[in-house]
């Protein structure tokens, strides 16, 4: 069942998203070789709580932490841990928060300098594919239009692996609502998008092959070939003509640019 949102409700989701994105920006300020992903997690969690919100991942189907931090071959749902990050690491930070009953969920992939041209291209292309998908998220289009745009930009054009096992989703009163938003599919197929739908679009793209497995922690999704992956996520309010992006990478990109340890475009 799909729950459509009013403009007022979408604005409440935007408030949750702002906290989520600023929490990711806080991690971007302190990212450097030697820092642990648990330190990033704790900074993000502290920030969310300081804004009166609650981390919505913690306890979700038993997930034990406030954030998912996925390094290198980890695609998504990585556990924060006490291992120091190293030069060249690819670090995806996925954060969620609930404020006044409304959920926000967003993710961004950082790269610690120095990196390779192929990793730079993967990160750039994955972020672009998110916006390609968002461009199709308008009333009257179908879910397959979003999915196909992401797949075309990544798999068809660059030969990257598009993860099949995990998908984007509706959100609002719950972190995960209907419908599912796959990152692969056919144009003109699937549910028709209607005004008021709020969805998380989240391409998970592998530099190498598309196959993944889940580690024995029960959560961490890792590429089979051990090559790195990227993940970006926005929450989007479907409208006629143009989607309204409720999350924003503005504070994150500002912090990324200001951090000498991070690669930025
Ligand atoms: N951003 C992730 C997603 O939608 C949420 C992580 S799942 C959790 O899929 F269990 F960690 F909450
Ligand atoms: Co999500």
């Amino acid at each position: 069942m799909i729950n459509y949102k009013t403009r007022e409700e979408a604005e409440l989701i935007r408030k949750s998203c702002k906290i989520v994105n600023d929490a990711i920006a806080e991690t971007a300020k302190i990212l450097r070789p030697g820092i642990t992903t648990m330190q990033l997690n704790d900074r993000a969690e502290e920030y969310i709580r300081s804004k009166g919100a609650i981390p919505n991942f913690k306890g979700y189907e038993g997930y034990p932490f406030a954030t998912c931090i996925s390094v290198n071959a980890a695609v998504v749902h990585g556990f924060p841990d006490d291992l120091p990050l190293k030069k060249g690491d690819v670090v995806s930070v996925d954060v969620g928060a609930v404020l006044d009953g409304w959920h926000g969920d967003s993710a961004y992939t950082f790269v610690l300098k120095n990196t390779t041209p192929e990793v730079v291209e993967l990160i750039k292309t994955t972020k672009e594919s998110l916006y390609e998908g968002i461009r199709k998220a308008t009333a009257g289009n179908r879910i397959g239009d979003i999915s196909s745009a992401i797949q075309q930009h990544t798999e068809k054009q660059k030969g990257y692996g598009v993860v099949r096992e995990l998908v984007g989703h509706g959100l609002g009163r719950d972190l995960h609502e209907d419908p599912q938003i796959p990152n692969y599919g056919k144009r003109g197929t699937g549910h028709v998008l209607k005004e008021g739908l709020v969805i998380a679009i989240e391409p998970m793209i592998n530099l190498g092959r598309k196959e993944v497995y889940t580690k024995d922690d029960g959560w961490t999704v890792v590429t089979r070939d051990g090559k790195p992956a990227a993940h970006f996520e926005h929450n989007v309010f479907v409208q006629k003509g143009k989607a309204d992006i409720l999350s924003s990478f503005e504070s994150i990109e500002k912090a990324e640019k200001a951090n000498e340890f991070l690669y930025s475009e």
Side-chain angles (χ1 to χ4, degrees):
M1 193 198 64
I2 294 179
N3 301 309
Y4 294 94
K5 278 81 181 176
T6 63
R7 166 57 65 185
E8 289 69 31
E9 291 170 336
E11 293 309 325
L12 296 174
I13 297 172
R14 196 192 306 278
K15 284 178 83 175
S16 304
C17 287
K18 171 80 176 138
I19 295 170
V20 166
N21 290 121
D22 288 349
I24 299 175
E26 287 300 306
T27 71
K29 291 178 188 170
I30 58 173
L31 260 164
R32 55 180 291 157
I35 198 165
T36 70
T37 54
M38 192 63 80
Q39 288 174 289
L40 301 178
N41 173 80
D42 293 352
R43 184 70 202 96
E45 179 165 4
E46 244 172 58
Y47 183 85
I48 291 167
R49 295 191 190 280
S50 79
K51 295 294 167 184
I54 295 166
N56 51 5
F57 293 180
K58 209 180 219 176
Y60 184 87
E61 289 178 10
Y63 187 78
F65 301 101
T67 68
C68 302
I69 305 186
S70 308
V71 181
N72 296 332
V75 186
V76 288
H77 301 170
F79 283 3
D81 63 25
D82 296 318
L83 301 173
L85 291 172
K86 310 174 305 302
K87 284 183 179 179
D89 280 346
V90 176
V91 185
S92 300
V93 180
D94 190 349
V95 175
V98 55
L99 180 73
D100 300 331
W102 294 96
H103 290 262
D105 177 16
S106 188
Y108 196 93
T109 300
F110 301 98
V111 184
L112 292 176
K113 286 179 190 165
N114 290 322
T115 186
T116 62
E118 56 175 2
V119 167
V120 166
E121 189 65 19
L122 171 71
I123 301 298
K124 175 170 170 279
T125 305
T126 303
K127 196 198 273 191
E128 285 168 359
S129 79
L130 168 58
Y131 290 103
E132 290 295 314
I134 292 171
R135 270 201 317 136
K136 303 290 182 184
T138 56
N141 275 357
R142 291 175 182 267
I143 288 176
D145 297 327
I146 300 172
S147 305
S148 142
I150 294 168
Q151 186 180 19
Q152 284 294 333
H153 196 74
T154 54
E155 195 172 271
K156 300 278 193 282
Q157 290 182 18
K158 299 283 168 78
Y160 297 147
V162 173
V163 174
R164 303 296 201 266
E165 288 83 349
L166 297 140
V167 295
H169 50 92
L171 83 165
R173 286 283 187 194
D174 288 307
L175 171 59
H176 291 150
E177 298 182 1
D178 289 339
Q180 296 197 343
I181 314 290
N183 297 305
Y184 63 95
K186 280 195 179 18
R187 274 194 296 152
T189 65
H191 263 94
V192 176
L193 304 168
K194 291 191 200 142
E195 231 177 335
L197 181 65
V198 175
I199 46 176
I201 303 180
E202 47 180 320
M204 291 157 259
I205 309 296
N206 300 344
L207 179 61
R209 298 182 57 84
K210 65 179 184 302
E211 285 76 21
V212 295
Y213 70 97
T214 304
K215 292 214 307 199
D216 50 21
D217 62 20
W219 280 97
T220 312
V221 175
V222 191
T223 59
R224 282 227 176 258
D225 64 11
K227 292 186 180 173
H231 177 216
F232 289 87
E233 177 175 11
H234 267 320
N235 300 158
V236 167
F237 186 40
V238 173
Q239 300 287 283
K240 291 190 190 113
K242 193 169 188 287
D244 183 354
I245 309 178
L246 300 175
S247 44
S248 163
F249 291 155
E250 201 180 320
S251 62
I252 300 171
E253 285 168 345
K254 185 164 172 254
E256 181 183 49
K257 280 202 178 71
N259 184 336
E260 58 175 319
F261 298 106
L262 293 179
Y263 171 82
S264 61
E265 290 213 279

